[in-house]
Amino acid sequence: MGSMFRSEEVVLVQLFLPTAAAYACVSQLGELGLVEFRDLNESVSAFQRRFTVDIRRCEELEKTFTFLEEQVRRAGLALPPPEGRLPAPPPRDLLRIQEETERLAQELRDVQGNHQALRTQLHQLQLHSAVLQQNHGPPPAAAHTDGPSSERTPLLPPRQGPHQDLRVNFVAGAVEPRKAAALERLLWRACRGFLIASFREADRQLEDPLTGEPVTWMTFLISYWGEQIGQKIRKITDCFHCHIFPFLEEEAARHGTLQQLQQQSQELQEVLRETEGFLSQVLGQVQQLLPRGLVQVHKMKAVYLALNQCSVSSTHKCLVAEAWCATQDLPALQQALRESSSEAGVSAVAHRISSRDMPPTLIRTNRFTASFQSIVDAYGVGCYQEVNPAPYTIITFPFLFAVMFGDVGHGLLMFLFALAMVLAENRPAVRTAQNEIWQTFFGGRYLLLLMGLFSIYTGFIYNECFSRATTIFPSGWSVAAMANQSGWSDAFLSHHPLLTLDPNVTGVFLGPYPFGIDPVWSLATNHLSFLNSFKMKMSVILGVTHMAFGVLLGVFNHVHFRQGHRLLLETMPELIFLLGLFGYLVFLVIYKWLCVTVTHAASAPSILIHFINMFLFSSSPTNQPLYSGQEVVQHALVVLALAMVPVLLLGTPLYLLHRWQRSRHSPRPAVGQQARCVDSSDACEKGWSSDEEKARCPGGEEEFVASEVLMHQAIHTIEFCLGCISNTASYLRLWALSLAHAQLSEVLWAMVMRVGLRMCGEVGVVSVVLVLVFAAFAVMTVAILLVMEGLSAFLHALRLHWVEFQNKFYAGTGYKLSPFTFAIQDE
C-alpha cells in the first residue's frame, strides 16, 4: 500500500562497467528490468557511436528473419513459441547466427526459385496440351469416307485463282477469358478479315503458378496467309500477353506432340514433388531456428542500444553509465553486476549520485490495481513521490459509476461478465486474443467486476431490478390504516381515482424501509418527483465530500515536500472557502432531513431560497429559517469565504518573496553545505517542485520573478474559486444520469416486455411470441442499457475524477520509469 500511496523512491546510480564484461552486465540487467539508462551521448551522432556496427548487423539479421517469417507464413505454417527464457547470446555467437541464417535464407531462395520455375514450366506444358486438345478444325465430311483419311485432310480447302501458291500459316495459343473478346475484335479490325480465328474455352481449369488460384483459359487458333498479316497477329497477341505455342497442321503430328507433352508433364510433376519435399524440409529448419533467433537477436540489439548510451572512460578500460533505479532494487543491482562481471576479473561498480533532475515515477501494480492505475495515468503520470489517486479510485470510481448506473439486474449482468473474464484470465486463448475491443474489456476486467458489484449495491438502494421494484422487507406504509381512519367510502373511491397517503394519520407510516427506497414509491404518481429531490441532494453531498477529500489529500503532498507554508496559505483557505459555502449547503440538506418532521413538512423552508439569500445578504419573509441565528451564521460564512480569496491570491507569493530576500542577505553556504542542500529532501532544493518555487531556495537562482509567481497563483486562485461552483454543479450529472438510466429502463420494459406479457391467446402462440419478445428485450438491454448507458456513465465518472477530484491535489506532470527489460522480447 505504501508503493500505491505515492511513487517509490528512485535514485540516480552511476555504473562503471569493465569493457570485457559490459555486454554481460547490461544483458543481465535486461533480464531483471531494474534500471532505466540515461543517454550520456546526446551530442554524439548515431553513426559515430561505438556499437553502431553491431546494431547494423543485428538489423540486417532482423531483415533476414522478416523474410524467413514471411515465407513460413506464406506456406501456411505457424511459428512455435520459443522454449523457455532465452538469454541474450554472447557477441561471439552473432557471426554463427548470421552465417546459419544467411545459409538458410539463400537455400530457401534457391529452392523457391527452382520450385517457381518448375511450376511455370509445368503450367506452360499443361497450357500447350490444352491448346492441342481443343478441336478448332472443321468436322470431317461424312460423304468422303472412301477418300483420304481425315488425318491427311487439310484444315482449309485449297485456294483457287491467282493466289493459289500462298501458304496458310497458323497461330495457336491461350489467353485469359476477360481478354478474349477484345482480342478477337482487334484481330478482325486490324487484319481486315484476312484470317480465320476460333476461340474456345479450355476443358479444365489450370492452377496459376504465381497465385496458386485455379484459372480458366481461352484457347484460340488463328489461320492466316501473308507475312504482313502474321506480323500484325504476333504483335497483337504479344500486347495481350497471350501464350503462343507451335501448331502442326497434321493431326497425327499434333497427337504425337500431345503425348510427348503429357510425358514431360508427368516427369516434371515428379520433380516438382521432390522439390516441394525438400522445400518443406528447409521450412522445417526455419521453423526451428526462427523463434529462438528472433528473441536472441532482439535482445542483442537492445543490449547494444543500451551500450551506445554509455560513455567511455578516459582510460578506455570501462564504460560509464547512468541509470535510474528504485532504492529497494539497489541490492539486487549490485548482486547482478557482481555475478555478470566475475569472469572478467574486474567487478562492475554502482554507486548513488545526486541529481537536480526530477526522477521518474515508479508505482508497482498487479492484475487488480493495473486498470485503476491506468485510469490515473491517462490523465497524466504523477510527479515524483506525489500522492497517487489510484488507491482511492479503486473505491470512488466504481461507486460514482454505480450511482449513475444503479440497477440490480444490469449490475448483475456486468458482474457475471467480468467474473467470467477473471476466472478465465490464465487461459492462453483468452489472454492472446487479437480483437481490440476484447483486449480493452479484458484489461479492465477487475474494474468491471467492481463496477458491477457496486451497481448491485446502489440498485438495492434505489430498489430497481430491470426497472422493477422488489419487496424484500414489509413496506413502511399502510393503506388499511388510511382507509379505516379517513372514511374512504365507495362513493369517495368512485370519484377519486388517485388517493393520497397522509403520514400524519396514525398507523399510515410505520417507519422507514430497512434498506433502500420503499417499494410503495414505485406505485406513486409522484415517484419521479421524490427521486428527483432525493438524487439531486445526494449528488451534492457526494460531490462536496469528494472535492473536500481531494483538498485534504493535498496536505500529504505539502507535508512530504516540506512546504509547511502551503498548509496555512493554500490548503486551509481552500477548505474554508469550500466548506464555508458548499459544505454549509450540505449541512442544510442533512439538517432539514433530520429536524423537519412530518407535521411541519407542508411549511418546510426551501434550502435553495436560503442559499440564494445567503449570497445576497437578504432574507425572505415567506421562507422561514431552519434554526435560530441562521442569518448571522450565513453572513459570517460568506464574509469568511470571501476573505480567503486574497489569502489564496497573495499569501504564497509574499512568503516566497520574503524568503528570497532573506536568502540574499544571508551568507552563502560552504561547499559541504551546498552538497547537503542538494541531497536534502526539500522539494525546492531538488528542483522538481511546483513552478513558482523552482530554484527559489538559498543556493538557487539569483533572480526572483515576482510577476510569474503572482500570475501562477492568480490562475490557481481563480481556477479553485470558480471551480468550487462549477465542480459542485458538475456532480449533478450523478442525479441526471441516474434518472435517465432508470427512465430508459422503464421505457424499455413498458414498450417491449409489458406488451408481450399482456398478450392473450393460445398457449403455444403466446409462448413463441414471449420468446421473441424476451429475446428482443435482452438484446436491447445489453446493447442500449449495458453498453451505451454503461459507456456514458463510465465517461462521466472518468471526468468527475480527472477534473473535479484530481485537480485539487494532483499535478500529473511526471513521467514513468521505463526500465531496460527483455520482457517484451520474451513475450
Side-chain angles (χ1 to χ4, degrees), residues 149-454:
S149 63
S150 59
E151 295 180 358
R152 298 181 180 180
T153 303
L155 293 177
L156 294 175
R159 295 184 55 84
Q160 303 294 331
H163 302 288
Q164 59 182 350
D165 295 333
L166 291 177
R167 184 173 178 273
V168 178
N169 297 315
F170 299 92
V171 175
V175 68
E176 297 179 13
R178 58 188 179 87
K179 300 179 181 179
L183 175 63
E184 186 175 6
R185 287 194 301 268
L186 186 59
L187 285 172
W188 180 259
R189 293 174 181 175
C191 299
R192 300 181 181 180
F194 289 96
L195 56 82
I196 299 175
S198 174
F199 287 83
R200 290 187 180 181
E201 190 174 300
D203 296 336
R204 61 189 180 92
Q205 292 181 332
L206 300 179
E207 182 179 350
D208 190 285
L210 297 178
T211 62
E213 298 178 355
V215 179
T216 302
W217 290 86
M218 184 72 73
T219 63
F220 60 85
L221 178 63
I222 304 172
S223 58
Y224 65 93
W225 51 90
E227 185 62 28
Q228 294 182 353
I229 299 298
Q231 292 178 0
K232 287 185 179 180
I233 293 174
R234 282 190 290 272
K235 290 181 180 179
I236 293 173
T237 53
D238 288 343
C239 291
F240 279 83
H241 301 284
C242 300
H243 296 271
I244 305 301
F245 304 102
F247 186 85
L248 301 177
E249 183 178 357
E250 291 79 8
E251 187 174 353
R254 293 198 304 271
H255 184 70
T257 305
L258 182 60
Q259 289 181 348
Q260 293 178 2
L261 291 175
Q262 291 176 351
Q263 184 178 359
Q264 292 177 8
S265 298
Q266 292 177 358
E267 295 174 355
L268 201 57
Q269 287 177 355
E270 184 66 25
V271 176
L272 191 60
R273 282 193 292 269
E274 294 294 333
T275 305
E276 289 177 351
F278 184 69
L279 178 61
S280 63
Q281 294 179 5
V282 177
L283 290 175
Q285 296 177 10
V286 173
Q287 281 183 295
Q288 295 178 358
L289 170 69
L290 204 54
R292 182 180 70 255
L294 278 172
V295 175
Q296 289 180 332
V297 172
H298 287 168
K299 288 186 176 182
M300 186 178 292
K301 180 182 176 182
V303 171
Y304 284 128
L305 287 173
L307 290 175
N308 262 348
Q309 295 179 337
C310 305
S311 62
V312 184
S313 64
S314 58
T315 60
H316 294 275
K317 293 184 179 179
C318 68
L319 298 179
V320 182
E322 291 184 3
W324 295 108
C325 179
T327 303
Q328 69 175 27
D329 293 335
L330 287 178
L333 173 63
Q334 298 279 5
Q335 181 67 21
L337 292 178
R338 283 195 298 267
E339 294 177 356
S340 303
S341 59
S342 59
E343 297 181 358
V346 181
S347 177
V349 179
H351 66 90
R352 297 173 58 171
I353 58 176
S354 59
S355 174
R356 296 184 64 86
D357 296 334
M358 183 176 69
T361 300
L362 173 61
I363 299 176
R364 305 182 196 267
T365 59
N366 51 34
R367 292 180 178 180
F368 178 75
T369 59
S371 56
F372 298 95
Q373 187 64 50
S374 63
I375 290 177
V376 176
D377 292 341
Y379 173 81
V381 179
C383 297
Y384 177 62
Q385 291 199 332
E386 187 179 26
V387 171
N388 183 26
Y392 318 104
T393 305
I394 295 176
I395 300 299
T396 59
F397 188 90
F399 178 72
L400 292 182
F401 169 85
V403 170
M404 297 178 281
F405 197 75
D407 190 286
V408 176
H410 301 155
L412 183 61
L413 292 178
M414 183 178 294
F415 174 79
L416 293 177
F417 173 67
L419 183 62
M421 289 192 291
V422 170
L423 296 178
E425 63 182 0
N426 293 324
R427 296 182 181 179
V430 176
R431 298 178 62 89
T432 59
Q434 298 299 321
N435 188 281
E436 188 174 353
I437 297 178
W438 169 257
Q439 288 180 348
T440 302
F441 282 115
F442 185 75
R445 57 193 180 279
Y446 288 100
L447 176 61
L448 290 174
L449 188 73
L450 288 186
M451 287 162 56
L453 192 62
F454 276 77

Side-chain angles (χ1 to χ4, degrees), residues 405-414 416 455 459-460 463-470 741-750 753-754 774 777-782 785-786:
F405 197 75
D407 190 286
V408 176
H410 301 155
L412 183 61
L413 292 178
M414 183 178 294
L416 293 177
S455 297
F460 277 116
N463 202 352
E464 291 184 1
C465 180
F466 295 111
S467 77
R468 301 291 91 193
T470 57
H741 182 80
Q743 292 303 306
L744 190 59
S745 181
E746 173 68 25
V747 169
L748 187 61
W749 177 274
M753 281 300 295
R754 187 176 296 173
F774 180 76
F777 175 77
V779 170
M780 286 189 284
T781 297
V782 173
L785 296 179
L786 285 183

Side-chain angles (χ1 to χ4, degrees), residues 538-600:
M538 175 194 66
S539 301
V540 173
I541 295 174
L542 292 178
V544 174
T545 304
H546 200 209
M547 290 189 295
F549 178 63
V551 175
L552 288 176
L553 287 179
V555 175
F556 295 98
N557 282 332
H558 304 329
V559 172
H560 178 76
F561 295 128
R562 298 182 182 180
Q563 300 172 349
H565 63 280
R566 287 184 175 273
L567 294 176
L568 297 176
L569 300 178
E570 290 187 12
T571 303
M572 188 66 69
E574 287 175 355
L575 280 176
I576 293 175
F577 186 87
L578 176 63
L579 298 180
L581 299 180
F582 300 99
Y584 179 72
L585 176 62
V586 173
F587 165 77
L588 291 179
V589 172
I590 298 176
Y591 184 87
K592 183 177 179 181
W593 280 349
L594 296 177
C595 297
V596 177
T597 60
V598 174
T599 56
H600 301 88

Side-chain angles (χ1 to χ4, degrees), residues 32-59:
L32 298 177
L34 299 178
V35 299
E36 177 185 353
F37 288 98
R38 299 179 68 185
D39 192 0
L40 302 181
N41 301 317
E42 292 182 351
S43 59
V44 181
S45 171
F47 302 100
Q48 298 176 349
R49 301 196 181 190
R50 182 169 183 172
F51 299 95
T52 302
V53 176
D54 301 289
I55 294 174
R56 287 180 179 176
R57 294 173 64 187
C58 293
E59 290 177 347

